[in-house]
Amino acid sequence: MEKNFNIQNSADSKEVTIDILGEIGGHWLFGDGITMENVASQIPSDAEKIKLNISSLGGSLVNALAIHDILRYHPANVEANI
């Protein structure tokens, strides 16, 4: 299975990079995927900047809106590249 979700944390600059490459939402058979739980659990609360890179054709609206809300209400500055 191809990896389609990655979060990198830079300890020295408090910058986080999130790559979402593929369908948003959990895979019903394997239980993995790009979900709100994956994103929320990997973003440190003290991050100052979040770079979000998205290349997705769609997926679960529920998970997409939840990820949006997680990023919207995080105190970090969010830069999105779609």
Side-chain angles (χ1 to χ4, degrees), residues 13-68:
S13 66
K14 295 191 180 184
E15 183 174 292
V16 176
T17 300
I18 301 172
D19 297 318
I20 296 177
L21 311 169
E23 187 175 329
I24 295 174
H27 190 278
W28 66 272
L29 182 60
F30 300 111
D32 59 359
I34 305 164
T35 64
M36 56 190 156
E37 292 87 1
N38 290 352
V39 173
S41 69
Q42 295 186 47
I43 299 175
S45 60
D46 65 343
E48 295 175 1
K49 183 174 183 178
I50 298 173
K51 289 184 178 181
L52 174 65
N53 301 308
I54 301 175
S55 180
S56 175
L57 295 176
S60 165
L61 180 62
V62 171
N63 276 282
L65 289 175
I67 291 169
H68 167 271

